[in-house]
Amino acid sequence: QVQLVESGGGLVQAGGSLRLSCAASGRTDSSYIMGWFRQAPGKEREFVAACSWIIQTTYYTDSVKGRFIITRDNTKKTVYLQMNSLKPENTAVYSCGEHSQDPLEVSTSYDYWGQGTQVTVSS
């Protein structure tokens, strides 16, 4: 059993930054990959970024490369998503999940999810 809790969302003006956190507890597997997805109103859930708990490899959707950075703190069992140069189109509910099978950019590859945190970017 794995529990994931996101935090750090809020309202920010365009060009600003936010750092989201995903705290994991329970039976987490260090070999698994943690991913961030987002869902904007009227749109499908979209892959944003992913990283391994132990391997220094990260994955990003093209639209956030160079602006978003995914990191993790293994001692705190927390994954972060640093979001810089935010744009209004980044407004969405951001959720983290624990991945156990490929492909990592598909939400059905993730077994556990947090409740999500709202990110709103004003113009």
Side-chain angles (χ1 to χ4, degrees), residues 37-102:
F37 285 72
R38 64 189 177 193
Q39 187 167 22
K43 295 187 177 181
E44 297 290 323
R45 177 172 284 185
E46 175 189 30
F47 170 76
V48 178
C51 71
S52 169
W53 284 113
I54 59 174
I55 301 173
Q56 301 301 323
T57 304
T58 57
Y59 311 87
Y60 299 94
T61 191
D62 287 344
S63 65
V64 308
K65 289 180 179 178
R67 297 190 298 118
F68 290 13
I69 303 171
I70 186 170
T71 58
R72 80 281 192 273
D73 185 333
N74 287 29
T75 62
K76 298 180 179 179
K77 298 182 68 175
T78 300
V79 179
Y80 305 95
L81 184 67
Q82 178 67 44
M83 305 185 296
N84 300 316
S85 301
L86 282 163
K87 305 174 181 179
E89 56 262 41
N90 299 146
T91 295
V93 174
Y94 285 71
S95 302
C96 67
E98 185 185 80
H99 164 277
S100 63
Q101 59 183 310
D102 290 329

Side-chain angles (χ1 to χ4, degrees), residues 11-19 67-68 82-88 90 119-122:
L11 175 64
V12 65
Q13 291 184 329
S17 299
L18 285 173
R19 189 178 74 158
R67 297 190 298 118
F68 290 13
Q82 178 67 44
M83 305 185 296
N84 300 316
S85 301
L86 282 163
K87 305 174 181 179
N90 299 146
V119 172
T120 302
V121 184
S122 62

Side-chain angles (χ1 to χ4, degrees), residues 1-6 22-30 32-35 53 77-79 96-100 110-115:
Q1 295 181 325
V2 177
Q3 296 81 45
L4 304 173
V5 180
E6 303 96 335
C22 174
S25 62
R27 185 186 53 79
T28 57
D29 190 328
S30 62
Y32 288 0
I33 290 174
M34 300 297 296
W53 284 113
K77 298 182 68 175
T78 300
V79 179
C96 67
E98 185 185 80
H99 164 277
S100 63
Y110 294 75
D111 295 329
Y112 301 96
W113 293 93
Q115 82 289 346

